[in-house]
Coordinates of all heavy atoms in Angstrom, one line a residue:
D9 N -44.7 30.3 5.8 CA -45.9 30.2 6.6 C -46.2 28.7 6.9 O -47.4 28.3 7.0 CB -47.1 30.8 5.8 CG -47.4 30.0 4.5 OD1 -46.7 29.1 4.2 OD2 -48.3 30.5 3.8
N10 N -45.2 27.9 6.9 CA -45.2 26.4 7.2 C -46.1 25.6 6.2 O -46.5 24.6 6.5 CB -45.8 26.2 8.6 CG -44.9 26.8 9.7 OD1 -43.6 26.7 9.5 ND2 -45.4 27.3 10.8
S11 N -46.1 26.1 5.0 CA -46.8 25.3 3.9 C -45.8 24.2 3.6 O -44.6 24.4 3.9 CB -47.1 26.1 2.7 OG -48.1 27.1 3.0
P12 N -46.1 23.1 2.8 CA -45.1 22.2 2.5 C -44.0 22.8 1.7 O -44.3 23.7 0.9 CB -45.9 21.2 1.6 CG -47.3 21.4 2.0 CD -47.5 22.8 2.4
P13 N -42.8 22.3 1.8 CA -41.6 22.9 1.0 C -41.8 22.6 -0.5 O -42.5 21.6 -0.8 CB -40.4 22.2 1.6 CG -40.9 21.0 2.3 CD -42.3 21.3 2.7
I14 N -41.2 23.3 -1.4 CA -41.3 23.2 -2.7 C -39.9 22.6 -3.1 O -38.9 23.2 -3.0 CB -41.5 24.5 -3.5 CG1 -42.8 25.0 -3.1 CG2 -41.4 24.3 -5.0 CD1 -43.1 26.5 -3.6
E15 N -39.9 21.3 -3.6 CA -38.6 20.7 -4.1 C -38.4 21.1 -5.6 O -39.3 21.1 -6.4 CB -38.8 19.2 -4.1 CG -39.0 18.6 -2.7 CD -37.8 18.8 -1.8 OE1 -36.6 18.8 -2.3 OE2 -37.9 18.8 -0.5
L16 N -37.2 21.6 -5.8 CA -36.8 22.1 -7.2 C -36.1 20.9 -7.8 O -34.9 20.7 -7.6 CB -35.9 23.3 -7.0 CG -36.6 24.5 -6.4 CD1 -35.5 25.6 -6.3 CD2 -37.8 25.0 -7.1
T17 N -36.9 20.0 -8.5 CA -36.3 18.8 -9.0 C -35.7 18.9 -10.4 O -34.9 18.1 -10.9 CB -37.5 17.7 -9.0 OG1 -38.5 18.2 -9.8 CG2 -37.9 17.4 -7.6
K18 N -36.2 20.0 -11.1 CA -35.7 20.1 -12.6 C -34.5 21.2 -12.5 O -34.4 21.9 -11.7 CB -36.9 20.7 -13.4 CG -38.0 19.8 -13.6 CD -39.0 20.5 -14.5 CE -40.1 19.4 -15.0 NZ -40.9 20.1 -16.0
D19 N -33.8 21.1 -13.7 CA -32.7 22.1 -13.8 C -33.3 23.5 -14.1 O -32.7 24.5 -13.8 CB -31.8 21.7 -15.0 CG -31.0 20.5 -14.6 OD1 -30.7 20.3 -13.4 OD2 -30.5 19.8 -15.5
L20 N -34.5 23.5 -14.7 CA -35.1 24.8 -14.9 C -36.6 24.7 -14.4 O -37.3 23.8 -14.9 CB -35.2 25.1 -16.5 CG -35.7 26.5 -16.9 CD1 -34.9 27.0 -18.0 CD2 -37.2 26.5 -17.2
T21 N -37.0 25.5 -13.5 CA -38.3 25.5 -12.8 C -39.0 26.8 -13.0 O -38.5 27.8 -12.6 CB -38.2 25.2 -11.4 OG1 -37.4 24.0 -11.1 CG2 -39.5 25.0 -10.7
L22 N -40.2 26.7 -13.7 CA -41.0 27.9 -13.9 C -42.0 28.0 -12.8 O -42.7 27.0 -12.5 CB -41.7 27.7 -15.3 CG -42.7 28.9 -15.8 CD1 -41.9 30.2 -15.9 CD2 -43.3 28.5 -17.1
L23 N -42.2 29.2 -12.2 CA -43.1 29.4 -11.1 C -44.1 30.3 -11.4 O -43.7 31.4 -12.0 CB -42.3 29.8 -9.8 CG -41.4 28.8 -9.3 CD1 -39.9 29.2 -9.7 CD2 -41.4 28.8 -7.8
G24 N -45.4 30.1 -11.1 CA -46.4 31.1 -11.4 C -47.8 30.4 -11.2 O -47.9 29.4 -10.6
R25 N -48.9 31.1 -11.6 CA -50.2 30.7 -11.5 C -50.7 29.8 -12.7 O -51.7 29.1 -12.6 CB -51.2 31.8 -11.3 CG -51.2 32.4 -9.9 CD -52.3 33.4 -9.7 NE -52.1 34.5 -10.6 CZ -53.0 34.8 -11.6 NH1 -54.1 34.2 -11.7 NH2 -52.8 35.9 -12.4
D26 N -50.0 29.9 -13.8 CA -50.5 29.3 -15.1 C -50.3 27.8 -15.0 O -49.5 27.3 -14.3 CB -49.7 29.9 -16.2 CG -50.4 29.6 -17.6 OD1 -50.2 28.5 -18.1 OD2 -51.1 30.5 -18.1
D27 N -51.2 27.1 -15.9 CA -51.2 25.6 -15.9 C -49.8 25.1 -16.3 O -49.5 24.0 -16.1 CB -52.3 25.1 -16.7 CG -53.6 25.3 -16.1 OD1 -53.7 25.5 -14.8 OD2 -54.7 25.4 -16.8
I28 N -49.1 25.9 -17.2 CA -47.9 25.4 -17.8 C -46.7 25.5 -16.8 O -45.7 24.8 -17.1 CB -47.5 26.1 -19.1 CG1 -47.1 27.6 -18.8 CG2 -48.6 26.0 -20.1 CD1 -46.5 28.2 -20.0
C29 N -46.9 26.1 -15.7 CA -45.8 26.3 -14.7 C -45.5 24.9 -14.0 O -46.3 24.0 -13.7 CB -46.2 27.3 -13.6 SG -46.3 29.0 -14.3
D30 N -44.2 24.7 -13.7 CA -43.8 23.5 -13.0 C -44.2 23.6 -11.5 O -44.5 22.6 -10.9 CB -42.2 23.4 -13.0 CG -41.7 23.4 -14.5 OD1 -42.1 22.4 -15.2 OD2 -40.9 24.2 -14.8
V31 N -44.1 24.8 -11.0 CA -44.6 25.0 -9.6 C -45.7 26.0 -9.6 O -45.5 27.2 -10.0 CB -43.5 25.5 -8.7 CG1 -44.0 25.9 -7.3 CG2 -42.4 24.5 -8.6
R32 N -46.9 25.5 -9.4 CA -48.1 26.5 -9.4 C -48.3 27.1 -8.0 O -48.4 26.4 -7.0 CB -49.4 25.7 -9.9 CG -49.2 25.3 -11.4 CD -50.5 24.9 -11.9 NE -51.5 25.9 -11.9 CZ -52.8 25.7 -11.8 NH1 -53.2 24.5 -11.9 NH2 -53.7 26.6 -11.7
L33 N -48.3 28.4 -8.0 CA -48.5 29.2 -6.7 C -50.0 29.8 -6.8 O -50.1 30.8 -7.6 CB -47.4 30.2 -6.6 CG -46.0 29.6 -6.5 CD1 -45.0 30.7 -6.5 CD2 -45.9 28.7 -5.2
E34 N -50.9 29.3 -6.2 CA -52.3 29.7 -6.3 C -52.5 30.9 -5.4 O -53.1 30.7 -4.3 CB -53.3 28.5 -6.0 CG -53.2 27.5 -7.1 CD -53.6 27.9 -8.5 OE1 -54.5 28.9 -8.5 OE2 -53.2 27.4 -9.4
H35 N -52.0 32.0 -5.7 CA -52.3 33.2 -4.9 C -52.5 34.4 -5.9 O -51.8 34.5 -6.9 CB -51.1 33.5 -4.0 CG -51.5 34.6 -3.0 ND1 -51.4 35.9 -3.1 CD2 -51.9 34.4 -1.7 CE1 -51.7 36.5 -2.1 NE2 -52.1 35.7 -1.2
K36 N -53.4 35.2 -5.5 CA -53.8 36.3 -6.5 C -52.7 37.3 -6.8 O -52.7 38.0 -7.8 CB -55.1 37.0 -6.0 CG -54.9 37.7 -4.7 CD -56.2 38.4 -4.3 CE -56.0 39.0 -2.9 NZ -57.3 39.5 -2.3
S37 N -51.7 37.5 -5.8 CA -50.6 38.3 -6.1 C -49.5 37.8 -7.0 O -48.7 38.5 -7.4 CB -49.9 38.7 -4.7 OG -49.3 37.5 -4.1
V38 N -49.6 36.5 -7.3 CA -48.6 35.9 -8.1 C -49.0 36.0 -9.7 O -50.2 35.7 -10.0 CB -48.4 34.4 -7.8 CG1 -47.4 33.6 -8.7 CG2 -47.9 34.3 -6.3
S39 N -48.1 36.4 -10.5 CA -48.4 36.5 -11.9 C -48.4 35.1 -12.5 O -48.0 34.1 -12.0 CB -47.3 37.3 -12.6 OG -47.3 38.6 -12.2
K40 N -49.2 35.0 -13.7 CA -49.2 33.7 -14.3 C -48.0 33.0 -14.7 O -47.8 31.9 -14.4 CB -50.1 33.9 -15.7 CG -51.5 34.2 -15.4 CD -52.3 34.2 -16.7 CE -53.7 34.5 -16.4 NZ -54.6 34.7 -17.7
L41 N -47.0 33.8 -15.2 CA -45.7 33.4 -15.4 C -44.8 34.3 -14.6 O -44.3 35.4 -15.1 CB -45.3 33.4 -16.9 CG -46.1 32.6 -17.8 CD1 -45.7 32.8 -19.2 CD2 -46.1 31.1 -17.5
H42 N -44.5 34.0 -13.3 CA -43.9 35.0 -12.4 C -42.3 35.0 -12.5 O -41.7 36.0 -12.7 CB -44.3 34.6 -11.0 CG -44.1 35.8 -10.0 ND1 -45.1 36.6 -9.7 CD2 -43.0 36.2 -9.5 CE1 -44.7 37.5 -8.9 NE2 -43.4 37.3 -8.7
C43 N -41.7 33.8 -12.4 CA -40.3 33.7 -12.3 C -39.7 32.4 -12.7 O -40.5 31.5 -12.8 CB -39.6 34.2 -11.1 SG -40.1 33.2 -9.7
V44 N -38.4 32.3 -13.0 CA -37.9 31.0 -13.3 C -36.6 30.8 -12.4 O -35.9 31.8 -12.2 CB -37.5 30.8 -14.8 CG1 -36.5 31.9 -15.3 CG2 -37.1 29.5 -15.2
I45 N -36.3 29.6 -12.0 CA -35.2 29.3 -11.2 C -34.4 28.2 -12.0 O -34.9 27.2 -12.4 CB -35.5 28.8 -9.8 CG1 -36.2 29.9 -9.0 CG2 -34.2 28.4 -9.1 CD1 -36.6 29.5 -7.6
V46 N -33.1 28.5 -12.2 CA -32.2 27.6 -13.0 C -31.2 27.1 -12.1 O -30.5 27.9 -11.3 CB -31.6 28.3 -14.2 CG1 -30.7 27.4 -14.9 CG2 -32.7 28.8 -15.1
K47 N -30.9 25.7 -12.0 CA -29.8 25.2 -11.2 C -28.7 25.0 -12.2 O -28.8 24.2 -13.3 CB -30.2 23.8 -10.7 CG -31.3 23.8 -9.6 CD -31.5 22.6 -8.9 CE -32.3 21.6 -9.7 NZ -32.6 20.3 -8.9
T48 N -27.5 25.5 -12.0 CA -26.4 25.4 -12.8 C -25.1 25.5 -12.1 O -25.0 26.4 -11.3 CB -26.4 26.4 -14.0 OG1 -25.2 26.2 -14.8 CG2 -26.4 27.9 -13.5
D49 N -24.2 24.6 -12.3 CA -22.8 24.7 -11.6 C -22.9 24.9 -10.1 O -22.1 25.7 -9.6 CB -22.0 25.8 -12.3 CG -21.7 25.5 -13.7 OD1 -21.6 24.4 -14.1 OD2 -21.6 26.5 -14.5
G50 N -23.9 24.2 -9.4 CA -23.9 24.3 -8.0 C -24.5 25.6 -7.4 O -24.4 25.8 -6.3
V51 N -25.1 26.4 -8.3 CA -25.8 27.6 -7.8 C -27.2 27.7 -8.4 O -27.5 27.0 -9.4 CB -25.0 28.9 -8.2 CG1 -23.7 29.0 -7.6 CG2 -25.0 29.0 -9.7
L52 N -28.1 28.5 -7.8 CA -29.4 28.7 -8.3 C -29.4 30.2 -8.8 O -29.0 31.1 -8.1 CB -30.5 28.6 -7.1 CG -30.5 27.2 -6.5 CD1 -31.6 27.3 -5.4 CD2 -31.0 26.2 -7.5
L53 N -29.9 30.3 -10.1 CA -30.1 31.6 -10.7 C -31.6 31.8 -10.8 O -32.3 31.0 -11.3 CB -29.4 31.6 -12.0 CG -27.9 31.4 -12.0 CD1 -27.3 31.3 -13.5 CD2 -27.2 32.3 -11.2

Side-chain angles (χ1 to χ4, degrees):
D9 69 359
N10 294 324
S11 297
I14 297 170
E15 297 292 333
L16 302 174
T17 57
K18 294 182 166 186
D19 288 338
L20 187 146
T21 304
L22 180 61
L23 296 97
R25 284 187 298 117
D26 199 277
D27 290 337
I28 68 167
C29 293
D30 301 305
V31 175
R32 292 195 58 208
L33 300 171
E34 294 295 333
H35 192 276
K36 63 184 178 183
S37 67
V38 176
S39 293
K40 288 182 180 180
L41 301 175
H42 199 96
C43 64
V44 64
I45 297 176
V46 178
K47 293 192 286 188
T48 181
D49 296 328
V51 297
L52 296 178
L53 301 175

